[in-house]
Amino acid sequence: MPSEVIAMQEPDNPTIPGPGLLSSGRYIHFGPFRIDQQRQEVTRNGVRLKLQGKVYQTLLTLLEKTGEVVTREELRLRLWPADTHVNYDANVNTTVNKLRIALGDSSDKPLYVETIPRKGYSLLVQPEISNRVGNSHIPQNGVHREEAVFSSPRAGFFKFSKSDLWVVLGAIGLILTGMLLGAGIMRFWMSHPSPVSGPSLALLLLRILEKALL
């Protein structure tokens, strides 16, 4: 990516998107994404995304009306000429779905593109426009999708401290020792059905326990 800064008469602070404001800066930042309008490239954490032309135009249309509803009719007029004969509803759905896939978004739990029933779509994040390559913007929800996945309760389900591990191992050892001791006693009684005196029984139990622990 070129590192030079384009000289333009604009404030140093990033501008907020709106109709006509996308041309006030070269770069658009939101979450981990950066749009280079000059190259018509979208990158995620520096990795370029492959967006088709209509998918890219859909993203720009949403950015122009951040927080507002972009109707399906607006997308149709933006993406297809008036004399184009296509199934507009199906094509709009397909194009928006492709955009969501590229952004790693979901229609059920959207982070970026929200569906407004019977109306259209709305961009949930607040992008910034500037001529600076760097991106320090944080999404409005505070975390990225990847961070949310790894911070879910399931991630810590199998985490054990060292003390917990020793307790578990000790309990398993006691259970195994008891099972071996019980098996030894059963084998002895089956092979020696005659009564055994108290001292002899105690000595036998000590020997069986000693063998089990070795």
Side-chain angles (χ1 to χ4, degrees):
M1 301 288 293
S3 58
E4 69 272 16
V5 177
I6 300 178
M8 297 183 65
Q9 294 181 351
E10 67 161 7
D12 292 335
N13 296 329
T15 58
I16 303 302
L21 286 181
L22 293 186
S23 61
S24 63
R26 173 174 175 176
Y27 300 104
I28 305 173
H29 303 283
F30 65 98
F33 301 98
R34 184 187 72 197
I35 301 174
D36 185 338
Q37 296 191 88
Q38 185 180 86
R39 292 175 173 266
Q40 294 189 352
E41 291 180 353
V42 181
T43 57
R44 179 191 180 101
N45 294 324
V47 179
R48 182 179 177 183
L49 304 180
K50 295 181 179 180
L51 297 186
Q52 298 177 355
K54 295 187 184 304
V55 178
Y56 178 78
Q57 291 298 323
T58 298
L59 178 57
L60 290 185
T61 305
L62 292 169
L63 288 166
E64 290 173 356
K65 300 183 64 175
T66 299
E68 301 180 24
V69 178
V70 176
T71 65
R72 299 171 63 84
E73 180 65 15
E74 288 180 87
L75 287 176
R76 183 187 71 79
L77 295 174
R78 176 74 172 262
L79 302 178
W80 291 279
D83 57 348
T84 303
H85 299 286
V86 296
N87 186 335
Y88 295 116
D89 287 337
N91 279 275
V92 168
N93 291 338
T94 300
T95 304
V96 173
N97 287 336
K98 287 182 179 180
L99 175 60
R100 282 184 170 135
I101 293 173
L103 299 179
D105 204 2
S106 168
S107 59
D108 297 328
K109 296 180 180 180
L111 295 177
Y112 304 108
V113 181
E114 179 184 14
T115 299
I116 309 300
R118 296 182 297 276
K119 292 184 180 180
Y121 307 92
S122 179
L123 191 68
L124 295 177
V125 295
Q126 184 65 65
E128 295 177 349
I129 302 176
S130 71
N131 286 313
R132 299 176 182 177
V133 177
N135 179 14
S136 60
H137 181 72
I138 300 176
Q140 288 181 337
N141 57 9
V143 295
H144 299 310
R145 178 179 295 273
E146 294 83 356
E147 296 172 353
V149 170
F150 288 109
S151 63
S152 63
R154 292 184 180 180
F157 183 77
F158 293 104
K159 290 183 179 179
F160 295 98
S161 64
K162 291 184 178 180
S163 60
D164 294 336
L165 181 60
W166 283 113
V167 170
V168 173
L169 292 177
I172 294 175
L174 290 175
I175 293 173
L176 292 176
T177 302
M179 293 174 63
L180 292 174
L181 182 59
I185 294 174
M186 288 297 297
R187 284 198 301 268
F188 173 79
W189 283 111
M190 292 177 65
S191 60
H192 299 81
S194 60
V196 181
S197 61
S200 299
L201 180 59
L203 181 60
L204 176 63
L205 292 176
L206 288 175
R207 289 179 178 176
I208 294 175
L209 181 60
E210 182 181 3
K211 291 181 180 181
L213 294 177
L214 290 177

